[in-house]
Amino acid sequence: EQMAKPGSTLLTGDTLKLAEGYVQVRPLGSIPVKGLEGPVPVYELTGTAAARSRFQASAARGLTRFVGRERELEQLAQALERAAAGHGQAVAIVGEAGVGKSRLVWEITHSHRVHGWLVLQAGSVSYGKATPYLPVIDLLKAYCRIQERDDPRAIRERVAGKLLTLDRALEPLLTPLLALLDVPVEDAAWDALEPPQRRQRTLEVVKRLLLRENQVQPLLVVFEDLHWIDSETQALLDGLVESLPTARLLLLVNYRPEYQHAWSGKTYYLQLRIDPLPAESAEALLRALVGEDPTLAPLTRMLIARTEGNPFFLEESVQTLVETEVLGGERGAYRLVRTPEAIQIPATAQAILAARVDRLPPEEKRLLQAAAVIGKDVPFPLLQAIADAPEDRLRQGLRHLQGAEFLYEASLFPDLEYTFKHALTHEVAYGGLLHERRRALHARVVEVIERLWPDRLAEQAERLAHHAMRGEVWDRALVHARQAGAKAASRSLHREAVVYIEQALAAVDHLPESRERVTQAIDLRLDLRNSLHPLAEHERIVENLAAAEKLAIGLADLPRLARVLGYLSMHFGVAGPPARALEHAERALMLARQTGNTDLALEMRLRVGIAHMYLDQRETITILRELISDLDDDLAARHRFGLMFTAPGARGILAQSLAAIGDFREAVAIGAEAVRIAEALDHRYSLAFVCRVVGTVHALRGDLARALPLLTRGLELCRDVGARFLLPALAAQVGVARAHEGRMAEAEALLDEAVDQAPGDYETVWAKVVASAGYQRAGRLPRAAEVAATALTQARERGEAGNAAWASYVLGGVAAASGPPAAATAEHHYRVALAGAESLGLQPLVAHCHLGLGEVSRQANALADAREHLTAAITMYREMTMPFWLKKAETAMSDLR
């Protein structure tokens, strides 16, 4: 009191321990105080701390004694010191439910050790796995001080103010952050990005913001309950962990043992395993809870045995004993009212909680169950709207539930919000509801949210879908589930999108019979196909599209039927067999022409052309030449095929098909035009695809000087836009080029990446063919043979004669490189490849096979055969203007003389 200046408050370390978590302080060091023997630590009060978790809220009633975790607390303090020195750390607290993971987080985040740190906290919830970025959004809202009542304009102002105050160079981050917060943005560049690009950009922006903030002050980032985390938050954490070594940042997480991550091998990662309290610590906790009365000793031993030292179970057991009047008196000074032998202690925490809920007065039990329907976090306005109780009785009931420690006040400003003490408490309260009342309450929640927050429905689409489905409000469930699915799909969150689309389909099945209902079902099945993996879920996709086809036929909806058949064609093109791809594409084209829809017919013509590519590329050339001639300027500027524009994509496919049959003059010219158009459209996915196919044109010709810039550019774009479909072939082709340059380590890394990500569709079978040739060039003959054999098997299974011929050719080359003992095997593979190539008109491959057979014949001293094959190869290479290969053939011929 005497030392404090007017208007300021000082406190000692002992007082700080009592108030920690409620106040913010500035340490002043140890100061001599009159009347005391030596200096004592003194702190200046600088402000209050906002209650954001159940631990902060429970501190208002007094946290139980913190025992048994001194070693872990010291390890966390050391991690803070290392992070503050610029050696970022990741620390995980791992343990079963109730052992005290969150309490340990609370102790470190509310200690004087984090003075001068910015602490950002977020947590996952049990129903949040299907809600993308949920913890990240909470963290950003806390960082930017966004309140629940803020409208989009206020949110925009808060985010912009925070970013520009931190660093004006961060202004480009504004659009992705606002989009993540569901604030409408007018940004043409952002809108033009494909979903995978937006996803990658969002992850990069959040990480960049955190890494920039740690340059101003050390940053403690806390994510709790990772066992409930969504995939996008996981991706952010994975990226953040990679950037930790030079950051002033401590990433502190907790989770249950079943959760897995990929950080364990990092030198800056520390895992703290939190087990139930040992007997000595459990006794200390119980003494703090019940007191020192000697008559409590048998009860203490029984409680420790039944709960196995789980702190949460211990606290709940004591609360049960108080409520059942086994214990009397005050907390910390209880006395035994009944003998321990007469006590029936439930064997599990769930039984304990269920018994406690059942003992509540009827009105309070109904109130707790209504809160459980809303979720673990319970906004007061929402609870008030569904509770059907006068406000005074509602608040009185909430006070009683708080006193009984079922609910805590999680937030007081700007709107009152409650939270369940533990997820298990929430689950038990919800599970006690009868189905009909549960359904009615969920339906009421949907109605109230739509009425209270009409301008924020998109932001709450996932929550609304959850409540509408459980409330069996099928028309609203369809709307909200479909919106949530579209939202997830736009962020490339395919697993989450599938969950919501299937919910929407379930909702459609409950709607009255109508034409609109059937069209909704068809459209949803098409949406579902877009989010399923084309290979891993082949049968599911076929079944789903077959159901959509049946619905469209019954409805006589020709445009939708054509669309469904087009998707089936594309799917069989990817997953095989190609003959079925062509069958469905031709049916789709016939229907599209009947509708008179020019755009639809154009798309189906392209699908027919691509379907032929899997079987015979000469037909593809005829179809695409006609299609390109029909593309007027308007169509060329707007028509898309899948993720890319038709104008450059069709030209790229045509160029690749022309190169496959040896017409390199036209292939090179059309390929250059495809690149020019893609660049003019400024569409990165289209450009990535065009770089891939036009690069292949030059690579087939043997012109690596022109192929490599296109292929490396395509690979960079592919990684940037998240185009996993294109990645294997691009990585393989760049790997082959690196092998030709002698950069073997880089080549092998790229080849391995290509093969690892090539499950076996048309594009990735080709990637394996190319990669096997690259392994041969790098001298890894067994690996080359293994990959080429796999490609050959997959190509034959899929009915792709062209890829099968190329794979046989590579196997011939591998055998030839293995030496004279394998000469017969090499000749066999070359002749199989030659027969396949001749039947399909694949002239460059025919020439390669003649060159290979010529080399094998020369080694076997069959000089007449060698001369015949080499003459054929030289003639073909000269006619196709393939100078690189011509030189090889001429050199081989000169060796015969």
Side-chain angles (χ1 to χ4, degrees):
E1 241 179 81
Q2 295 172 356
M3 296 166 56
K5 298 177 181 178
S8 68
T9 302
L10 304 182
L11 54 153
T12 65
D14 289 338
T15 305
L16 175 59
K17 289 178 182 178
L18 296 173
E20 212 160 41
Y22 297 103
V23 296
Q24 297 173 345
V25 299
R26 181 169 64 90
L28 301 179
S30 295
I31 300 176
V33 178
K34 184 178 180 181
L36 300 180
E37 292 184 2
V40 297
V42 175
Y43 302 84
E44 181 182 2
L45 181 67
T46 60
T48 60
R52 293 189 58 83
S53 72
R54 66 184 178 90
F55 290 100
Q56 294 169 321
S58 63
R61 290 169 297 282
L63 288 171
T64 54
R65 183 180 173 189
F66 185 63
V67 298
R69 310 297 188 202
E70 291 78 11
R71 180 181 65 85
E72 290 84 355
L73 200 58
E74 180 57 32
Q75 287 178 294
L76 285 172
Q78 293 172 4
L80 280 169
E81 291 178 4
R82 289 193 290 272
H87 306 290
Q89 303 289 302
V91 180
I93 303 171
V94 186
E96 298 289 351
V99 295
K101 304 183 294 295
S102 294
R103 177 62 186 273
L104 182 56
V105 170
W106 193 93
E107 290 293 329
I108 196 67
T109 57
H110 293 82
S111 72
H112 62 278
R113 297 178 179 88
V114 295
H115 173 73
W117 287 65
L118 174 61
V119 179
L120 296 176
Q121 292 183 259
S124 303
V125 291
S126 59
Y127 50 85
K129 280 191 174 184
T131 305
Y133 300 108
L134 182 61
V136 179
I137 290 169
D138 288 344
L139 184 130
L140 288 174
K141 286 181 176 179
Y143 175 69
C144 297
R145 301 183 183 274
I146 295 170
Q147 308 294 342
E148 285 301 319
R149 63 176 59 178
D150 286 344
D151 58 20
R153 178 179 177 183
I155 294 174
R156 184 187 302 275
E157 290 174 352
R158 290 183 186 275
V159 176
K162 189 70 174 178
L163 286 183
L164 299 182
T165 300
L166 177 62
D167 187 343
R168 296 199 68 85
L170 298 178
E171 187 172 357
L173 278 59
L174 183 59
T175 292
L177 290 177
L178 290 175
L180 183 58
L181 294 168
D182 284 314
V183 176
V185 293
E186 295 182 3
D187 188 325
W190 174 259
D191 293 339
L193 296 179
E194 297 298 335
Q197 298 171 265
R198 286 198 291 268
R199 173 186 183 272
Q200 187 62 36
R201 179 76 173 135
T202 299
L203 295 174
E204 291 172 356
V205 160
V206 176
K207 184 175 79 170
R208 181 180 169 190
L209 176 62
L210 294 176
L211 294 177
R212 178 62 181 88
E213 182 64 57
N214 88 86
Q215 297 173 10
V216 177
Q217 57 191 326
L219 192 57
L220 174 56
V221 178
V222 179
F223 281 86
E224 296 206 60
D225 297 322
L226 293 195
H227 44 274
W228 291 323
I229 201 171
D230 64 278
S231 59
E232 294 313 293
T233 303
Q234 180 66 65
L236 171 66
L237 293 182
D238 291 340
L240 187 59
V241 166
E242 295 297 328
S243 302
L244 282 179
T246 59
R248 291 195 302 165
L249 193 155
L250 172 60
L251 175 64
L252 179 59
V253 300
N254 66 35
Y255 50 83
R256 296 178 189 172
E258 63 267 21
Y259 168 78
Q260 301 291 326
H261 59 68
W263 317 331
S264 304
K266 305 296 184 184
T267 58
Y268 46 88
Y269 168 76
L270 171 67
Q271 178 175 297
L272 302 179
R273 174 68 187 232
I274 305 297
D275 294 313
L277 294 171
E280 182 179 347
S281 297
E283 288 176 9
L285 175 59
L286 280 175
R287 283 196 300 271
L289 283 169
V290 302
E292 303 280 354
D293 191 321
T295 63
L296 297 174
L299 174 64
T300 299
R301 289 193 296 271
M302 184 183 297
L303 287 173
I304 293 173
R306 286 295 186 93
T307 64
E308 298 182 342
N310 185 295
F312 170 65
F313 296 174
L314 282 170
E315 291 183 33
E316 292 300 317
S317 297
V318 170
Q319 187 70 23
T320 297
L321 296 174
V322 173
E323 292 176 355
T324 56
E325 299 182 350
V326 172
L327 294 177
E330 300 294 330
R331 179 169 175 165
Y334 288 120
R335 65 184 186 283
L336 195 63
V337 177
R338 284 188 274 152
T339 59
E341 290 79 9
I343 302 171
Q344 296 295 318
I345 300 178
T348 67
Q350 184 170 358
I352 292 172
L353 291 170
R356 286 192 62 206
V357 171
D358 286 340
R359 286 193 299 273
L360 286 170
E363 286 191 9
E364 292 177 15
K365 181 178 178 180
R366 283 196 297 272
L367 180 60
L368 183 67
Q369 290 174 331
V373 168
I374 293 172
K376 188 171 182 291
D377 298 315
V378 188
F380 178 77
L382 193 51
L383 180 60
Q384 184 178 26
I386 73 167
D388 292 327
E391 185 171 347
D392 57 343
R393 286 167 58 187
L394 176 63
R395 292 187 181 275
Q396 181 183 17
L398 288 169
R399 283 195 296 271
H400 290 168
L401 291 174
Q402 285 180 269
E405 298 193 16
F406 284 104
L407 296 175
Y408 290 148
E409 283 183 354
S411 175
L412 301 175
F413 180 84
D415 293 312
L416 181 59
E417 184 170 289
Y418 294 87
T419 187
F420 279 82
K421 178 181 180 181
H422 195 275
L424 193 55
T425 310
H426 170 253
E427 293 166 11
V428 170
Y430 183 78
L433 273 165
L434 294 176
H435 171 76
E436 188 55 34
R437 183 159 183 263
R438 183 187 300 175
R439 185 202 62 75
L441 285 171
H442 279 296
R444 180 74 174 132
V445 169
V446 175
E447 176 189 336
V448 171
I449 292 176
E450 290 182 336
R451 175 168 53 82
L452 292 181
W453 299 289
D455 57 340
R456 304 182 69 174
L457 298 185
E459 177 185 340
Q460 304 197 58
E462 298 88 355
R463 176 187 287 185
L464 283 162
H466 165 78
H467 287 295
M469 288 297 296
R470 295 202 172 191
E472 300 176 15
V473 191
W474 303 120
D475 58 338
R476 306 312 300 153
L478 171 60
V479 171
H480 296 306
R482 191 164 191 186
Q483 185 173 29
K487 187 174 172 182
S490 71
R491 294 171 170 173
S492 290
L493 311 178
H494 299 303
R495 285 179 297 176
E496 291 85 350
V498 167
V499 170
Y500 289 116
I501 295 169
E502 289 183 331
Q503 287 183 4
L505 277 168
V508 165
D509 287 342
H510 289 86
L511 295 177
E513 291 287 347
S514 68
R515 184 179 182 86
E516 183 183 0
R517 169 189 166 176
V518 180
T519 59
Q520 290 269 22
I522 297 170
D523 292 345
L524 283 167
R525 290 191 179 278
L526 294 179
D527 291 343
L528 183 61
R529 179 263 160 207
N530 289 334
S531 291
L532 292 172
H533 191 285
L535 293 174
E537 297 174 288
H538 167 70
E539 292 182 1
R540 186 177 176 188
I541 289 175
V542 172
E543 181 182 349
N544 172 66
L545 289 175
E549 180 184 4
K550 184 177 180 180
L551 291 171
I553 291 172
L555 205 60
D557 188 329
L558 296 188
R560 281 186 169 82
L561 181 56
R563 186 78 63 192
V564 171
L565 293 172
Y567 273 123
L568 278 166
S569 168
M570 184 166 63
H571 180 65
F572 284 119
V574 171
R580 294 196 67 184
L582 179 58
E583 172 193 345
H584 285 89
E586 289 178 336
R587 285 181 61 202
L589 176 57
M590 178 186 69
L591 292 170
R593 283 173 169 160
Q594 289 179 26
T595 67
N597 185 322
T598 303
D599 283 7
L600 186 62
L602 182 68
E603 178 180 338
M604 298 312 152
R605 288 171 65 189
L606 185 53
R607 289 196 189 281
V608 170
I610 292 174
H612 275 293
M613 184 180 70
Y614 306 132
L615 299 166
D616 189 332
Q617 300 196 61
R618 290 168 294 192
E619 290 293 331
T620 299
I621 291 169
T622 301
I623 292 167
L624 293 188
R625 276 176 174 159
E626 293 176 356
L627 184 149
I628 290 168
S629 68
D630 291 343
L631 269 177
D632 59 31
D633 291 342
D634 177 60
L635 273 174
R638 63 176 169 79
H639 196 278
R640 289 197 186 200
F641 173 70
L643 292 175
M644 63 182 164
F645 279 90
T646 301
R651 285 174 171 82
I653 296 170
L654 175 58
Q656 181 177 269
S657 296
L658 287 165
I661 66 168
D663 189 349
F664 285 103
R665 289 186 178 87
E666 187 178 356
V668 169
I670 291 178
E673 188 178 359
V675 172
R676 180 188 61 76
I677 294 173
E679 288 177 335
L681 288 168
D682 193 24
H683 187 249
R684 291 194 291 175
Y685 190 96
S686 298
L687 186 55
F689 176 79
V690 166
C691 286
R692 145 74 182 98
V693 291
V694 179
T696 301
V697 168
H698 295 297
L700 283 172
R701 193 183 181 207
D703 190 351
L704 286 182
R706 296 178 69 179
L708 189 55
L710 284 166
L711 294 171
T712 52
R713 184 182 183 186
L715 185 58
E716 291 170 2
L717 285 165
C718 177
R719 297 189 195 283
D720 186 37
V721 301
R724 294 172 60 186
F725 176 70
L726 302 175
L727 180 60
L730 280 163
Q733 289 175 296
V734 176
V736 170
R738 296 295 182 232
H740 276 280
E741 293 174 337
R743 297 160 62 173
M744 294 306 178
E746 186 179 350
E748 291 187 30
L750 286 164
L751 297 173
D752 290 343
E753 180 183 12
V755 173
D756 290 344
Q757 297 195 35
D761 56 25
Y762 177 86
E763 183 80 2
T764 57
V765 169
W766 171 250
K768 287 175 182 170
V769 171
V770 175
S772 58
Y775 286 125
Q776 178 188 342
R777 179 73 185 185
R780 293 177 59 184
L781 297 184
R783 179 62 169 161
E786 175 193 358
V787 174
T790 300
L792 177 60
T793 299
Q794 291 177 339
R796 285 174 173 169
E797 287 175 348
R798 291 168 44 80
E800 294 169 359
N803 276 340
W806 276 104
S808 295
Y809 164 71
V810 174
L811 283 169
V814 173
S818 301
T825 302
E827 182 179 358
H828 167 73
H829 285 304
Y830 281 143
R831 291 196 179 278
V832 169
L834 179 60
E838 286 179 334
S839 69
L840 296 171
L842 304 179
Q843 295 298 90
L845 181 55
V846 170
H848 291 337
C849 291
H850 281 304
L851 176 58
L853 287 167
E855 292 280 12
V856 171
S857 298
R858 182 180 64 81
Q859 291 174 6
N861 208 31
L863 300 185
D865 288 343
R867 187 170 288 105
E868 180 183 349
H869 285 298
L870 292 175
T871 299
I874 290 169
T875 301
M876 295 182 73
Y877 287 142
R878 186 174 289 120
E879 290 175 349
M880 291 185 289
T881 64
M882 298 174 68
F884 173 82
W885 291 102
L886 176 61
K887 184 177 180 181
K888 278 183 171 293
E890 289 175 339
T891 300
M893 180 69 84
S894 66
D895 290 342
L896 293 179
R897 303 188 181 101

